[in-house]
Amino acid sequence: MNALSSFIRFENLQELKRVCHWGPVIALTVIAVCSTMAILDSILWYWPLDTTGGSVNFIILINWTVLILYNYFNAMFVGPGYIPLGWKPESPKDCMCLQYCRVCQGFKAPRSHHCRKCNRCVMKMDHHCPWINNCCGHQNHAYFTSFLILAPLGCIHAAVIFIMTMYTQLYDRISFGWSSVKIDMSAVKRDQRPIIPFGVCAFATSLFALGLALGTTIAVGMLFFIQMKVILRNRTSIEVWIEEKAKDRIQYYQTEEEFIFPYDLGSKWENFKQVFTWSGIPEGDGIEWPVREKCDQYTLTIEQLKQKADKRVRSVQYRVIEDYSGACCPLNKGVKTFFTTPCTEEPRIRLRKGEMIFATRGLKRWMYGDKALNDEQVKAGVRVRGWFPRRCVEKCLYDTVNDLPVNEEKKDR
């Protein structure tokens, strides 16, 4: 019993920590402001509850709030589903087709990826969302997408309430002259029904809530269309990137192989049903997936292994010539470097002069790569990778991994 109670307390503490993060705090604040102001504006100044339309409008507003919060908290607390620690396939031969995760001490199941934020291998990982402070994956993908459509719809309804409230309350207070427009915000309204007069504070708060509602509608609405696009193709955001890299790899080496994405079932409706079900529980166990003809469970994982090997071949070795603290926006690396920092949650890595690093991709003034580590760190599963300013490194004349000139041989592979 003591162990059980300790586990329950630990779980409650983890849930509390998940909410106490800048993402959920901002998201819940926006929901609270828009919902509260929409209800107050409606029943006090626009559409009171003593009318049938006002009562229906009030019920709809409450329903929007309940549905939005229900899907939001489910997306946050149900979670994406995690691959069991130390997992491996039933057949030892299948291990050759899978990547091994040193952190989780097990193999990565098909469609799973290791999340640095959650520190676990996530089932059918789409991305780590800071707004729910959790990953979007197999088990909570439907809740997350439902939240993305319900939030804009609720905000559109709230925005209409805000606009109509400000319009009806200000209509009788505007006097038009030949050369000026005068708005008297302190004038007493002819209709004496409202208990609280619509003053400057109410107007400013409604205007602020209107801005939040419109901004949320645009931003979250765009995320919804992006999610629906990948869902109808039975992909994740990560798998879209893997597919693009597969085409690039085939084109780069000019091979005759053809990569077929294995999880697209050929019908948008069938793909849709892989995420959305009447029971709310997605199909599958998060490890095995239905695949199309000419493909098997490991078609995508084999492609990932090829890309990983290709990444090592294409990586270029650099030597650190200038210390870097790992700051997101370093002030001492130049104004252009400061303002062109990568807009991503991917980490920055601290550099010390003389260290070696293998760069795999980069921008004009930033690069991304893995720091060269000693054998003990590699065996322990340590991996240090992230972004760093390009000015802090210089290209080595020879790649010590392949003992080839980096400017000549590598580009011919």
Side-chain angles (χ1 to χ4, degrees):
M1 292 297 293
N2 292 332
L4 179 60
S5 60
S6 299
F7 177 76
I8 293 174
R9 285 197 299 270
F10 176 76
E11 287 294 319
N12 292 335
L13 181 61
Q14 290 296 106
E15 291 179 358
L16 181 61
K17 287 182 177 180
R18 193 172 296 282
V19 176
C20 297
H21 178 264
W22 65 265
V25 169
I26 294 176
L28 292 173
T29 300
V30 172
I31 294 172
V33 170
C34 291
S35 299
T36 303
M37 284 307 303
I39 293 172
L40 290 177
D41 278 13
S42 181
I43 63 178
L44 289 179
W45 299 300
Y46 175 59
W47 214 344
L49 292 176
D50 56 5
T51 63
T52 303
S55 300
V56 173
N57 177 67
F58 177 78
I59 293 173
I60 295 175
L61 285 174
I62 294 296
N63 284 337
W64 283 131
T65 304
V66 171
L67 289 173
I68 289 171
L69 291 176
Y70 173 78
N71 285 280
Y72 180 82
F73 284 120
N74 272 327
M76 180 187 295
F77 294 125
V78 169
Y82 301 109
I83 301 298
L85 296 174
W87 179 87
K88 61 181 180 180
E90 295 181 0
S91 174
K93 296 181 180 179
D94 295 340
C95 295
M96 301 297 295
C97 303
L98 297 171
Q99 298 184 77
Y100 185 81
C101 179
R102 291 189 177 93
V103 177
C104 298
Q105 295 295 308
F107 289 90
K108 297 180 182 179
R111 310 193 80 175
S112 69
H113 301 274
H114 186 84
C115 175
R116 291 190 294 268
K117 300 287 186 180
C118 300
N119 203 33
R120 287 290 300 273
C121 286
V122 177
M123 295 179 177
K124 193 187 174 184
M125 178 178 174
D126 186 89
H127 68 287
H128 184 91
C129 178
W131 304 111
I132 63 173
N133 194 21
N134 207 339
C135 277
C136 174
H138 174 59
Q139 294 184 2
N140 65 349
H141 205 170
Y143 292 121
F144 180 76
T145 309
S146 299
F147 165 74
L148 293 183
I149 183 59
L150 289 170
L153 292 177
C155 285
I156 290 172
H157 187 180
V160 173
I161 297 297
F162 299 144
I163 293 172
M164 294 305 298
T165 299
M166 290 185 288
Y167 173 77
T168 55
Q169 290 297 314
L170 297 179
Y171 181 78
D172 293 334
R173 306 178 188 199
I174 301 177
S175 59
F176 294 92
W178 287 103
S179 60
S180 65
V181 177
K182 181 180 180 182
I183 302 179
D184 183 8
M185 294 295 297
S186 62
V188 180
K189 192 180 177 185
R190 295 177 184 176
D191 189 353
Q192 299 296 328
R193 284 186 301 173
I195 300 175
I196 303 174
F198 189 79
V200 176
C201 291
F203 175 80
T205 309
S206 297
L207 189 62
F208 175 71
L210 175 62
L212 286 181
L214 294 178
T216 302
T217 300
I218 296 172
V220 180
M222 291 176 62
L223 291 176
F224 169 74
F225 283 110
I226 293 173
Q227 285 297 310
M228 284 305 301
K229 183 177 180 180
V230 297
I231 287 174
L232 294 178
R233 298 167 63 195
N234 202 9
R235 288 162 170 78
T236 64
S237 301
I238 296 177
E239 290 169 351
V240 170
W241 175 239
I242 293 174
E243 189 176 19
E244 292 178 358
K245 289 194 294 183
K247 295 177 182 178
D248 175 70
R249 181 185 64 81
I250 294 172
Q251 183 178 6
Y252 181 83
Y253 292 104
Q254 297 182 352
T255 61
E256 297 182 355
E257 62 181 308
E258 179 185 8
F259 174 72
I260 301 175
F261 186 78
Y263 305 116
D264 188 347
L265 302 181
S267 166
K268 291 183 178 180
W269 175 243
E270 292 297 326
N271 293 337
F272 180 84
K273 290 192 299 182
Q274 292 297 307
V275 176
F276 295 95
T277 60
W278 289 111
S279 63
I281 302 174
E283 293 188 1
D285 58 1
I287 295 179
E288 293 188 2
W289 308 92
V291 296
R292 62 191 303 174
E293 296 181 0
K294 300 181 180 179
C295 299
D296 57 39
Q297 289 293 321
Y298 304 112
T299 298
L300 187 66
T301 59
I302 292 173
E303 174 59 32
Q304 289 178 263
L305 290 173
K306 291 180 180 179
Q307 291 180 11
K308 192 172 184 179
D310 180 51
K311 183 179 179 180
R312 289 194 294 267
V313 171
R314 292 208 215 182
S315 64
V316 180
Q317 189 175 16
Y318 286 81
R319 179 183 292 105
V320 179
I321 59 174
E322 187 177 331
D323 290 350
Y324 168 55
S325 65
C328 182
C329 301
L331 293 171
N332 60 341
K333 302 302 179 184
V335 177
K336 294 182 178 179
T337 301
F338 177 84
F339 285 106
T340 58
T341 182
C343 297
T344 174
E345 283 198 340
E346 290 178 310
R348 276 65 170 170
I349 56 175
R350 181 176 298 180
L351 300 180
R352 291 290 178 265
K353 190 174 180 179
E355 291 180 332
M356 307 300 294
I357 192 165
F358 296 94
T360 55
R361 52 190 167 103
L363 303 174
K364 187 175 182 180
R365 292 182 175 84
W366 289 82
M367 302 185 73
Y368 186 92
D370 290 75
K371 187 182 291 187
L373 305 174
N374 56 46
D375 293 339
E376 293 182 358
Q377 291 174 315
V378 172
K379 291 179 180 178
V382 178
R383 187 176 185 183
V384 182
R385 58 177 176 174
W387 290 95
F388 54 90
R390 187 182 287 270
R391 60 175 286 178
C392 295
V393 297
E394 67 176 2
K395 185 183 295 185
C396 297
L397 295 179
Y398 283 84
D399 186 344
T400 57
V401 174
N402 300 288
D403 294 329
L404 293 172
V406 294
N407 292 326
E408 298 177 7
E409 299 293 341
K410 275 196 161 188
K411 65 183 180 180
D412 296 330
R413 293 188 178 185

